[in-house]
Amino acid sequence: MRPATIAKSASARSERPQLLGLSGDVSHWTVLKSLLPFIWPAGRRDLRIEVVGACVVLLLAKLVTVAVPVAFKWVTDWLASDLAGPEVAAGKHLALGVAMLIVAYGVGRVLMMVLNQVRDLLFTRVGQHAIRELNNRTFRHLHTLSLRFHLERRTGGLSRVIERGTRGIDLILRMGVLQLAPTVIEMLLVAALLVYYFDWSYVVILIATIAFYMWFTFAASERRIAIRREMNESDTDANTKAIDSLLNFETVKYFGNEDAEARRYDASMARYEKAAVKTYYSLGVLNSGQAAIFTAGMTLVMWLAAEGVMAGTHTVGDFVLINAVMIQLYQPLNFMGMVYREIKQGLVDLETMFALLGQQPEVEDKPGAKPLEVRDGAVRFDHVSFSYEGDREILHDVSFEVPAGQMVAIVGPSGAGKSTISRILFRFYDITKGRVTIDGQDIRDVTQTSLRRAIGVVPQDTVLFNDTILYNIRYGRPDATDAEVHEAARLAQIDRFIATLPQGYATMVGERGLKLSGGEKQRVAIARTLLKGPPILMLDEATSALDSHTEKEIQDAIDRVAANRTTLVIAHRLSTIVQADNIIVLDKGRLVEQGTHAELIARNGLYASLWNRQRQAEKAREELAAALEAAASPVPGRPTDEERPGVKVAYGEPESF
């Protein structure tokens, strides 16, 4: 491969992991070794038997394949011999022998096809099982990776990697096992056949032809792989942009940027188009070169065979045999070029998938970690410091306690570190210093599954599955009955809204819940958390998207549910946490104040400043609303539009004067 091609290929490799938020690279050999356990699965004796059966049938099929041209040679020699002349044409035993050979030839060709189909059928279950297992492992692994990875990755590109990885497994298994191995066996059998019927010079020509053919194929294919990588990168980039744009459909409309999005997408597709044209051009060169090389080798051995016939050292059947063998060998050899290209492409497609599997989770259970035992549900942050990256600390030496059964609120300006506390408690990240405990148990010493089972979270930004309302509420506890789901919906004040829908609980909520309003999504999130029924509640401004009336109703419901639970509230709207048992005030990652609402107001510090600012903003909104209402009300003594003579209101504008 030329240095420029190698550099381009290396560049493509380095860009691909960056595009998907991955690090590192995976070699082709590592990919092949990693696939072996899927082809020879441990604990699956039935699949292993099918693999062995497929290999036996494969060998039988190739023996029949090589035997077919030999039968063709015998028929030809018999017909061309003096015994087949007119003077013995009436000999029934001779005619019967020719007929039997012809029938054997036909049966051999049919049997060759049948055995190949049986081989494919036996290996189908193995291949499909391998695809399923690898996809399932990748899917599970994605859910073990850290929140940081999922915040940095690009969904469209990641889905494309998994899609191409699935196709890559199929290509490698189908081409490598069902095409490459049979072709190698057939070449060995053909070489033995040439030695038996001819001499070593034919084998030398055959080996030289195949070697030159393979060299050309591999060299040309390597150049095509670099182009194919470029195609993959452009395809991934285009798909990522398309999905990102469609997920942000409303934002695109808000700013009227449809043309800009189309241009952005088209730029990626233009790169894909250019790479695709190069791919098909290089394919034409490859196919032409392969045909020229093989035809040259076949012509040379046929020339030698023809000279042997003229010299009397070979028969006409030998000439037919060498022609039939070479033509029959050309097809798998031609496949060999395609097999190499497809296997290489499958390996390229699987590279990033295995790089993904090699990505280590940032947060892992300790060896021998035990389940969390929640007795009272007391939460304690003990001198906690944390930074997302580098030396930029988000939390600095923060200590506080949430006693069992009490409600503690966390407030502060934007960027103070409020949401970081919820992520630490849920163990999306591990802290830099200090300890976080629940009933005295360090959350790093217990299993993540048991920790997260004990905590119910209502996030500020609610995202729903593209399924029914019933499914999204029941997601809090999949084994809940319909009656329990309905009760959770009632407590979350969404049952009356659901009753107005034509399909009720069977109503689809759309992609990410876009068919519901912000308040409706929030209430579904509250309902599924209530259904989960955890001993610890964590509310990240759970009523931020609701109107004042609904907020009061849901706040009352939350108060009732939180009465016997430890509750941590991250609040932006201070009016929702006035009744909290303790209020913690953060500023720039430090705990600067704590106490009850009355105590903090009396202290006249940061909390009091935030409270006064919000009260002034609310008062200004109330005054504006009152002014608008007054402007819309009729003024005594002033005629309304309907009362003015000669004026008829239609869509807010006068029809005539």
Side-chain angles (χ1 to χ4, degrees), residues 262-480:
R263 287 194 300 271
R264 189 165 168 254
Y265 178 72
D266 186 58
S268 296
M269 290 305 298
R271 290 194 296 273
Y272 179 85
E273 176 189 7
K274 184 178 179 182
V277 170
K278 286 183 182 178
T279 300
Y280 285 105
Y281 174 79
S282 61
L283 179 62
V285 173
L286 176 60
N287 289 338
S288 301
Q290 287 175 331
I293 292 169
F294 191 82
T295 301
M298 184 173 69
T299 302
L300 188 55
V301 293
M302 287 181 67
W303 184 283
L304 292 178
E307 285 188 338
V309 172
M310 297 296 293
T313 58
H314 293 303
T315 66
V316 175
D318 290 334
F319 180 82
V320 171
L321 174 64
I322 198 72
N323 178 264
V325 165
M326 293 299 286
I327 290 177
Q328 191 162 288
L329 185 61
Y330 178 70
Q331 185 176 3
L333 265 184
N334 188 46
F335 274 135
M336 186 69 86
M338 183 191 70
V339 165
Y340 177 76
R341 295 194 304 270
E342 295 294 343
I343 288 178
K344 288 286 288 185
Q345 179 53 44
L347 290 170
V348 169
D349 290 337
L350 278 169
E351 279 177 4
T352 312
M353 195 172 190
F354 277 98
L356 187 63
L357 285 170
Q359 192 80 7
Q360 292 300 312
E362 185 177 338
V363 177
E364 294 185 281
D365 290 342
K366 286 184 177 179
K370 297 180 179 180
L372 174 68
E373 296 180 5
V374 181
R375 298 180 296 274
D376 303 313
V379 177
R380 181 178 180 82
F381 277 60
D382 189 10
H383 298 286
V384 170
S385 295
F386 174 75
S387 60
Y388 285 108
E389 54 187 24
D391 298 328
R392 180 174 169 266
E393 269 195 340
I394 304 300
L395 296 178
H396 178 74
D397 197 28
V398 173
S399 297
F400 65 87
E401 186 173 359
V402 187
Q406 291 193 14
M407 178 184 287
V408 171
I410 301 175
V411 303
S414 179
K418 303 184 294 297
S419 294
T420 299
I421 284 182
S422 68
R423 290 175 172 180
I424 288 174
L425 180 59
F426 214 67
R427 211 180 164 209
F428 281 145
Y429 299 96
D430 276 336
I431 56 179
T432 310
K433 297 178 183 176
R435 296 173 72 232
V436 178
T437 63
I438 295 178
D439 287 338
Q441 303 161 82
D442 194 318
I443 63 173
R444 292 171 295 189
D445 296 334
V446 300
T447 62
Q448 296 176 66
T449 301
S450 63
L451 170 68
R452 291 164 186 166
R453 190 184 298 121
I455 303 172
V457 180
V458 180
Q460 182 181 5
D461 182 21
T462 299
V463 177
L464 303 180
F465 292 96
N466 189 5
D467 211 301
T468 63
I469 292 177
L470 180 70
Y471 175 86
N472 277 281
I473 296 178
R474 183 172 274 154
Y475 200 79
R477 184 156 51 89
D479 60 349

Side-chain angles (χ1 to χ4, degrees), residues 531-551:
L531 185 64
K532 182 180 180 181
I536 300 170
L537 284 178
M538 189 158 58
L539 310 172
D540 189 353
E541 195 55 71
T543 60
S544 62
L546 308 179
D547 57 76
S548 299
H549 177 70
T550 308
E551 177 190 351

Side-chain angles (χ1 to χ4, degrees), residues 127-370:
Q128 292 304 314
H129 177 77
I131 291 172
R132 170 190 161 197
E133 284 296 311
L134 187 53
N135 272 340
N136 189 46
R137 182 176 297 184
T138 304
F139 182 77
R140 285 179 176 273
H141 184 71
L142 284 172
H143 280 288
T144 68
L145 295 179
S146 64
L147 178 63
R148 190 192 308 273
F149 171 84
H150 287 281
L151 291 176
E152 292 174 353
R153 59 124 168 105
R154 301 173 71 177
T155 305
L158 194 60
S159 67
R160 210 60 156 189
V161 165
I162 297 174
E163 176 189 333
R164 283 203 299 260
T166 301
R167 187 175 66 240
I169 302 168
D170 184 56
L171 284 174
I172 290 173
L173 295 180
R174 182 159 44 84
M175 294 297 177
V177 178
L178 302 183
Q179 296 292 344
L180 179 60
T183 302
V184 172
I185 292 172
E186 185 172 351
M187 285 192 294
L188 293 175
L189 291 174
V190 167
L193 196 67
L194 293 180
V195 171
Y196 182 79
Y197 281 104
F198 300 94
D199 56 55
W200 282 101
S201 61
Y202 288 82
V203 177
V204 170
I205 294 172
L206 176 68
I207 292 174
T209 300
I210 292 174
F212 190 36
Y213 182 96
M214 290 302 178
W215 172 82
F216 176 78
T217 298
F218 294 168
S221 296
E222 281 296 334
R223 295 188 62 181
R224 296 189 72 243
I225 288 298
I227 301 172
R228 189 60 185 252
R229 278 203 180 100
E230 186 180 344
M231 278 182 64
N232 280 358
E233 289 298 322
S234 302
D235 180 48
T236 298
D237 189 44
N239 192 61
T240 299
K241 286 182 170 63
I243 290 180
D244 196 34
S245 181
L246 293 174
L247 287 176
N248 291 281
F249 174 81
E250 292 180 70
T251 304
V252 174
K253 292 296 182 184
Y254 291 153
F255 294 95
N257 279 340
E258 295 90 344
D259 289 341
E261 289 295 318
R263 287 194 300 271
R264 189 165 168 254
Y265 178 72
D266 186 58
S268 296
M269 290 305 298
R271 290 194 296 273
Y272 179 85
E273 176 189 7
K274 184 178 179 182
V277 170
K278 286 183 182 178
T279 300
Y280 285 105
Y281 174 79
S282 61
L283 179 62
V285 173
L286 176 60
N287 289 338
S288 301
Q290 287 175 331
I293 292 169
F294 191 82
T295 301
M298 184 173 69
T299 302
L300 188 55
V301 293
M302 287 181 67
W303 184 283
L304 292 178
E307 285 188 338
V309 172
M310 297 296 293
T313 58
H314 293 303
T315 66
V316 175
D318 290 334
F319 180 82
V320 171
L321 174 64
I322 198 72
N323 178 264
V325 165
M326 293 299 286
I327 290 177
Q328 191 162 288
L329 185 61
Y330 178 70
Q331 185 176 3
L333 265 184
N334 188 46
F335 274 135
M336 186 69 86
M338 183 191 70
V339 165
Y340 177 76
R341 295 194 304 270
E342 295 294 343
I343 288 178
K344 288 286 288 185
Q345 179 53 44
L347 290 170
V348 169
D349 290 337
L350 278 169
E351 279 177 4
T352 312
M353 195 172 190
F354 277 98
L356 187 63
L357 285 170
Q359 192 80 7
Q360 292 300 312
E362 185 177 338
V363 177
E364 294 185 281
D365 290 342
K366 286 184 177 179
K370 297 180 179 180

Side-chain angles (χ1 to χ4, degrees), residues 467-614:
D467 211 301
T468 63
I469 292 177
L470 180 70
Y471 175 86
N472 277 281
I473 296 178
R474 183 172 274 154
Y475 200 79
R477 184 156 51 89
D479 60 349
T481 64
D482 287 352
E484 290 172 324
V485 172
H486 296 169
E487 177 62 15
R490 186 187 66 78
L491 288 173
Q493 303 292 326
I494 196 175
D495 57 326
R496 285 172 291 180
F497 163 72
I498 296 173
T500 64
L501 300 172
Q503 294 179 295
Y505 283 88
T507 302
M508 298 292 291
V509 303
E511 187 83 31
R512 299 171 65 87
L514 290 177
K515 289 185 178 180
L516 302 182
S517 69
E520 290 156 0
K521 286 196 296 183
Q522 204 84 358
R523 282 179 281 182
V524 169
I526 293 169
R528 70 182 174 194
T529 303
L530 296 176
L531 185 64
K532 182 180 180 181
I536 300 170
L537 284 178
M538 189 158 58
L539 310 172
D540 189 353
E541 195 55 71
T543 60
S544 62
L546 308 179
D547 57 76
S548 299
H549 177 70
T550 308
E551 177 190 351
K552 179 64 171 62
E553 292 179 340
I554 294 182
Q555 195 64 50
D556 292 342
I558 289 175
D559 290 342
R560 289 196 300 272
V561 174
N564 299 317
R565 290 183 170 90
T566 304
T567 307
L568 188 64
V569 181
I570 297 170
H572 304 279
R573 196 181 299 174
L574 302 184
S575 59
T576 62
I577 48 93
V578 171
Q579 302 302 323
D581 297 296
N582 189 30
I583 299 172
I584 294 166
V585 185
L586 295 179
D587 186 28
K588 297 178 181 178
R590 298 174 182 270
L591 195 157
V592 293
E593 296 175 347
Q594 66 174 311
T596 64
H597 172 75
E599 291 170 349
L600 292 174
I601 291 295
R603 191 174 299 170
N604 200 28
L606 177 58
Y607 179 84
S609 173
L610 294 172
W611 174 264
N612 292 332
R613 197 178 307 161
Q614 285 196 10

